[in-house]
Amino acid sequence: MNMAVATVIAASDADATYALVTEPEHVVFLQQECRVYGSPDGVASTATAVPPRLRLALEEMALGVVKGFLRLEALVVDANDDEAMEEGRRTLVEEITEELRGNTLHNGVMWTLSPRRRAKLRVFRDLWERGYVVTFGSKFGADFLIYKDNPKHAHAVALVVVKDYEEEFARVDIVSFCRVAKMVKKQLLFACVRANGGDKKSDTQEEDENVAADSVVYISFTHALLVSRQEGSTEELA
């Protein structure tokens, strides 16, 4: 097998759209061959068993579409639906597929992603391309968790928070995230996507004009480093 199939469950709010993988062999293929674990939809027979269905978030859908190991299909609601309704659902899935690929569509398209969600899709794919297993980190207040192995058998090594490329870092946010990372014994990474067509250039960009416009930049913080800087600032004020 070299491709899985997922049924798109579309929503008027693009961020609420997801896909379901219903064939067990496709679930196994995604998890074991593609490092895409999704969220179980339904109850597995045992804790280690393959879930009967797999729910894929937009980041996982986009990764599969871009890398060519996932095909999205329209939901069949009723066998008695007329051709116009079926064609409408197929057209929507085609639009979603192109949007997830990052292709610019015509102005009449209703289903579009926000720039922030596009950035998350790009960061998710970059982490996956670096060899990590990527899951979602909402329980820690982060966007993603990254693992070096199967999440069922390993602990996450880092929390990843996605920020806009030119977004300012609020000190209180950095302190809060660092404290959470320390408590759960994980590294903290802030990730941002270098905007296309930006006029601003970092020193590195000035030296290397070949840096891709949509490359992902990571900033790592450790709790010890943050504390030492806070103590230094306190001494200066004293």
Side-chain angles (χ1 to χ4, degrees):
M1 176 180 290
N2 57 15
M3 180 175 290
V5 177
T7 301
V8 175
I9 311 299
S12 55
D13 177 5
D15 284 345
T17 297
Y18 63 95
L20 282 178
V21 182
T22 58
E23 295 295 332
E25 61 268 29
H26 291 196
V27 174
V28 172
F29 168 71
L30 288 173
Q31 293 188 336
Q32 296 184 3
E33 302 295 329
C34 305
R35 288 182 283 116
V36 173
Y37 284 83
S39 301
D41 189 82
V43 180
S45 57
T46 66
T48 58
V50 174
R53 299 195 304 179
L54 200 65
R55 178 169 173 157
L56 303 179
L58 288 172
E59 288 79 3
E60 294 160 325
M61 294 163 62
L63 173 66
V65 166
V66 171
K67 293 300 181 180
F69 60 74
L70 181 68
R71 177 169 59 84
L72 302 179
E73 64 178 20
L75 175 67
V76 178
V77 178
D78 191 330
N80 297 321
D81 284 348
D82 58 36
E83 292 184 4
M85 294 180 67
E86 290 183 4
E87 181 61 28
R89 285 194 289 269
R90 284 196 296 268
T91 299
L92 177 59
V93 169
E94 290 172 0
E95 292 177 353
I96 291 173
T97 300
E98 291 305 307
E99 180 79 6
L100 294 177
R101 285 189 176 125
N103 295 334
T104 302
L105 301 176
H106 57 80
N107 294 331
V109 173
M110 299 296 293
W111 197 96
T112 57
L113 293 171
S114 66
R116 178 165 178 77
R117 194 60 186 266
R118 282 181 177 274
K120 289 183 179 181
L121 266 60
R122 179 68 184 89
V123 171
F124 187 96
R125 189 175 86 237
D126 184 77
L127 291 167
W128 183 90
E129 290 173 342
R130 292 171 184 267
Y132 292 106
V133 175
V134 191
T135 65
F136 298 90
S138 57
K139 64 181 178 180
F140 297 123
D143 292 302
F144 305 123
L145 299 174
I146 55 175
Y147 299 77
K148 292 184 177 180
D149 201 350
N150 186 332
K152 296 178 181 178
H153 306 143
H155 292 289
V157 296
L159 311 178
V160 181
V161 179
V162 180
K163 307 285 281 186
D164 291 337
Y165 185 59
E166 296 182 358
E167 183 178 354
E168 293 185 1
F169 286 75
R171 186 182 184 89
V172 64
D173 289 340
I174 296 176
V175 172
S176 298
F177 279 120
C178 282
R179 285 177 176 172
V180 171
K182 181 178 184 294
M183 285 190 293
V184 296
K185 299 179 180 179
K186 303 185 192 310
Q187 186 179 2
L188 172 63
L189 295 174
F190 285 99
C192 55
V193 180
R194 182 175 288 113
N196 286 309
D199 294 328
K200 295 184 178 181
K201 293 184 178 181
S202 66
D203 294 338
T204 303
Q205 283 178 286
E206 292 287 356
E207 296 172 0
D208 185 2
E209 294 293 339
N210 295 320
V211 175
D214 66 342
S215 60
V216 181
V217 179
Y218 296 96
I219 301 173
S220 175
F221 287 94
T222 64
H223 184 267
L225 176 62
L226 183 66
V227 170
S228 66
R229 288 184 175 177
Q230 286 179 319
E231 291 175 347
S233 299
T234 303
E235 291 175 359
E236 290 176 4
L237 291 174

